[in-house]
Amino acid sequence: METTIMKKILLILTVLFSGILLNSCNQNLLDVEQHGALLPDTYYKNASDEQANQLIAAVYSQVYTGFFWNGFLNNMSDDGIGTGGTYSNVNVNSQTHTGNGYFTSLFRVNYLCNMIIAQLPSDTDIKKQVIGEAYFWRAWAYSYLIRMWGTPPLVDHVLALSELTPANGSPEQLWNYVISSLNEAVKFLPEKSALGQQRAIGGRLTKHSAYALLGKVQLVKGDYAGAIASLETVINSGKYKLINDYRNLYHVPADFCDEYMFEWNMDDNDQANFANEGDNRAVNLTWRTENVTVPGGLTAQGYGSADFNKNFYNFMVARGEKGKPRYLGTIWDYEDIQQRFIDLGLASNSADAIDKFWNSVSLMADCQGYFRAKMLPWASDLYNYDVVQVIHTKANWPGMRYAEVLLNYAEACKQSGTKSAEGLAALNLVRQRAGLNTLTSYTLQDLKDEKRAELAYESERFLDLVRWGDASTALANRGFNVYNFYGYTQGTTTYNVTQTPVQDAKGFQTGRDELFPFPYNERLLNTNLAQNPGWGN
């Protein structure tokens, strides 16, 4: 019967958020009680603790499956290698924009959370936690909707049939919705008792997870005093800290560490797993192995690009990061890959490593000779590694790291012109872990550069460039060329890279690309939704 109920919930989601069903559905049909099944409101109101956990697990799963825009947002920034379509601004409009699917996914998250908040009674500790998590996740969803679309409709409750075509929300209303939701989450969510308690709570949200997101939201909104207060609550709690080795992030050794503010538990156990069964991260986040043989210790299957460009590599080298922990946990050049083969005992020298690296195809597509090491799944992270068809990962996926809390705090201090010493101390904690010297003072540019290095490929760079007003300059030439890497030019150690211009590439368009277009299909169904500037229909 529970399966029937969940199918009915998914039916409602489909009706509310896809295709022409949005306006043509008949609410009465949804309210017909099927034989042997309960209506959703009855199910929620009478849910057991176990059923309440299943309801919030569906939210975690929706967030996780919809959140694999790491590659998309990275390639929207100045650090990515992606070309064509949205990245090069070639024939991009409200019908073809890559962000369209995320718009729908984020509203699904909000809907599921509103169902929980409206219907689930807070009569047990577990249900209170689930309600707190629902408040958090709807705030999380809207924090992205606002940053990417500016004025999405405000949907703060489960809509009636007469309310299915809401107009754009105002920024003030929207941010208030996010902030008030997080303040509610703080009231309901449990608190870690001490360091080392992440595993005991399964990596799920805590009170300080909500404070961390609240501080981030306040920073983005420009409420620096509020951001400082919220982030200090996390920092002063003493319940979170950076792990020692940056290279372990996104791998099994970092699971349930005190740096993860919350995470998706990849335990191979249906009761514990708040992610998605059959997770194909091990495929999505590896390099293109039709072109190269991935060095041992990494997954041997994938179709992703190399991901980082020469611009980002040069940035890291200029900072003095080459060969240091954060560099090695983020990006490798061609020589680093050769050394990886040697270190793993798979090659005796560089020539042997090169011979083993290249596959039958002689190029690495979308590459300038620099490869993302960050998030690249290791063989030791995987279940059933020898059975290629069922590869999925054991490594938990963090939703937010304490390093970002520290950097957001340092930025709030700098932007506000207050607490310079405290902001500097937070910034230096991040630099020290990276293997860099501490600073005696810092500028806003120092902070921007630190965020770029620390949070690379974590979906923040593009959104930060827009927020800081730096996008028009940093992204002016994004996506103008396609690069292919062929190893060394014969007889030299010079990288052999071809560069092919992308026809009609435009780069970042000031006055338009600061916001994504509202999807064409959404506006076709909802004539009250006004399009963002510069996007036409």
Side-chain angles (χ1 to χ4, degrees):
M1 183 172 70
E2 289 173 9
T3 300
T4 302
I5 295 163
M6 290 310 296
K7 285 182 178 177
K8 188 166 186 182
I9 292 171
L10 290 174
L11 169 64
I12 296 171
L13 280 174
T14 302
V15 169
L16 288 176
F17 294 106
S18 66
I20 61 172
L21 292 175
L22 182 65
N23 281 336
S24 63
C25 70
N26 185 330
Q27 184 70 38
N28 292 331
L29 294 177
L30 298 178
D31 292 335
V32 175
E33 189 161 358
Q34 301 174 28
H35 180 70
L38 299 174
L39 287 173
D41 58 349
T42 304
Y43 180 78
Y44 279 70
K45 289 176 181 177
N46 295 282
S48 66
D49 284 350
E50 181 181 355
Q51 290 167 332
N53 271 331
Q54 290 170 353
L55 290 171
I56 200 63
V59 177
Y60 275 80
S61 181
Q62 178 65 43
V63 173
Y64 181 77
T65 55
F67 192 55
F68 268 95
W69 52 37
N70 293 78
F72 164 56
L73 282 178
N74 185 63
N75 281 319
M76 291 290 286
S77 79
D78 51 343
D79 295 338
I81 200 77
T83 54
T86 304
Y87 308 127
S88 303
N89 256 329
V90 177
N91 298 322
V92 180
N93 54 47
S94 62
Q95 292 179 277
T96 62
H97 197 281
T98 311
N100 287 354
Y102 301 120
F103 184 86
T104 303
S105 178
L106 290 167
F107 269 107
R108 284 178 176 156
V109 171
N110 185 67
Y111 173 79
L112 287 171
C113 292
N114 283 343
M115 287 284 286
I116 291 171
I117 292 166
Q119 304 283 3
L120 189 69
S122 57
D123 53 8
T124 70
D125 288 342
I126 288 177
K127 291 178 189 177
K128 288 177 183 177
Q129 178 178 355
V130 167
I131 292 169
E133 289 173 305
Y135 275 116
F136 175 95
W137 285 122
R138 77 177 192 179
W140 175 91
Y142 260 88
S143 72
Y144 278 101
L145 284 165
I146 299 167
R147 293 180 79 183
M148 293 193 283
W149 285 275
T151 59
L154 175 60
V155 182
D156 58 2
H157 61 281
V158 179
L159 299 181
L161 183 62
S162 61
E163 299 177 297
L164 292 181
T165 56
N168 304 69
S170 73
E172 182 179 4
Q173 288 176 320
L174 292 164
W175 283 124
N176 285 344
Y177 177 61
V178 172
I179 291 169
S180 64
S181 294
L182 288 170
N183 283 326
E184 288 299 312
V186 166
K187 297 176 185 177
F188 285 97
L189 288 171
E191 184 174 343
K192 279 174 61 175
S193 58
L195 289 169
Q197 295 300 306
Q198 283 294 97
R199 185 178 296 277
I201 60 174
R204 290 170 65 176
L205 295 168
T206 67
K207 192 179 299 291
H208 289 105
S209 308
Y211 276 119
L213 181 58
L214 177 58
K216 179 176 179 176
V217 164
Q218 290 165 321
L219 173 66
V220 170
K221 185 176 179 288
D223 177 9
Y224 303 126
I228 289 171
S230 297
L231 297 170
E232 279 184 346
T233 301
V234 181
I235 294 168
N236 294 338
S237 74
K239 296 174 181 178
Y240 298 88
K241 67 176 182 178
L242 303 178
I243 65 172
N244 292 329
D245 192 339
Y246 188 93
R247 292 168 291 187
N248 284 337
L249 293 169
Y250 293 92
H251 298 294
V252 168
D255 284 0
F256 305 113
C257 68
D258 289 309
E259 181 163 350
Y260 290 177
M261 297 304 303
F262 59 93
E263 58 203 283
W264 283 268
N265 183 1
M266 297 297 170
D267 193 335
D268 196 21
N269 178 330
D270 287 341
Q271 298 305 311
N273 192 351
F274 272 64
N276 186 35
E277 283 286 325
D279 169 34
N280 65 350
R281 189 197 325 164
V283 175
N284 285 333
L285 292 178
T286 42
W287 311 323
R288 289 188 172 184
T289 50
E290 77 272 21
N291 304 122
V292 300
T293 301
V294 185
L298 307 182
T299 57
Q301 177 180 346
Y303 50 73
S305 68
D307 300 312
F308 282 129
N309 57 29
K310 186 177 181 179
N311 181 26
F312 179 75
Y313 173 81
N314 288 340
F315 163 77
M316 293 292 280
V317 171
R319 287 171 53 79
E321 301 224 20
K322 174 76 172 177
K324 293 180 179 177
R326 183 162 62 189
Y327 167 93
L328 293 172
T330 304
I331 186 171
W332 294 338
D333 61 20
Y334 189 35
E335 290 73 26
D336 293 322
I337 289 177
Q338 295 167 39
Q339 189 61 48
R340 181 65 178 162
F341 271 94
I342 295 169
D343 291 344
L344 289 168
L346 301 173
S348 56
N349 53 46
S350 292
D352 187 27
I354 291 170
D355 183 60
K356 288 181 167 65
F357 179 70
W358 289 106
N359 207 335
S360 57
V361 181
S362 60
L363 63 87
M364 180 64 174
D366 301 320
C367 182
Q368 294 175 284
Y370 308 98
F371 300 78
R372 175 182 46 78
K374 194 174 192 176
M375 302 173 185
L376 191 66
W378 299 100
S380 57
D381 291 336
L382 304 180
Y383 294 107
N384 302 312
Y385 176 61
D386 292 329
V387 185
V388 173
Q389 291 80 3
V390 293
I391 283 180
H392 63 286
T393 181
K394 294 182 287 188
N396 289 357
W397 183 265
M400 188 176 189
R401 297 193 287 116
Y402 184 59
E404 185 178 358
V405 171
L406 294 171
L407 291 173
N408 287 343
Y409 179 72
E411 181 182 348
C413 292
K414 177 55 64 176
Q415 296 276 25
S416 71
T418 63
K419 299 205 169 187
S420 297
E422 292 87 343
L424 178 63
L427 178 64
N428 278 332
L429 283 175
V430 176
R431 288 179 59 85
Q432 285 175 301
R433 196 264 299 273
L436 302 178
N437 294 331
T438 58
L439 300 176
T440 56
S441 63
Y442 71 106
T443 64
L444 183 58
Q445 188 60 51
D446 290 329
L447 185 282
K448 291 178 179 180
D449 289 346
E450 204 65 43
K451 288 194 78 173
R452 183 183 184 185
E454 177 69 25
L455 302 180
Y457 211 77
E458 295 186 33
S459 307
E460 285 299 310
R461 176 67 176 170
F462 171 77
L463 298 174
D464 275 343
L465 287 173
V466 171
R467 174 169 66 88
W468 291 326
D470 296 338
S472 59
T473 300
L475 307 179
N477 299 316
R478 183 193 65 209
F480 270 51
N481 296 289
V482 174
Y483 299 97
N484 291 317
F485 177 60
Y486 293 83
Y488 292 133
T489 300
Q490 189 171 4
T492 74
T493 55
T494 302
Y495 288 7
N496 182 6
V497 181
T498 62
Q499 175 178 312
T500 306
V502 176
Q503 187 174 0
D504 298 324
K506 298 180 180 64
F508 186 90
Q509 301 295 290
T510 303
R512 185 192 76 163
D513 291 341
E514 291 84 358
L515 295 173
F516 295 168
F518 289 107
Y520 175 81
N521 287 343
E522 296 288 340
R523 295 191 64 249
L524 189 67
L525 300 168
N526 180 3
T527 57
N528 293 320
L529 183 60
Q531 185 57 279
N532 278 324
W535 286 105
N537 293 327

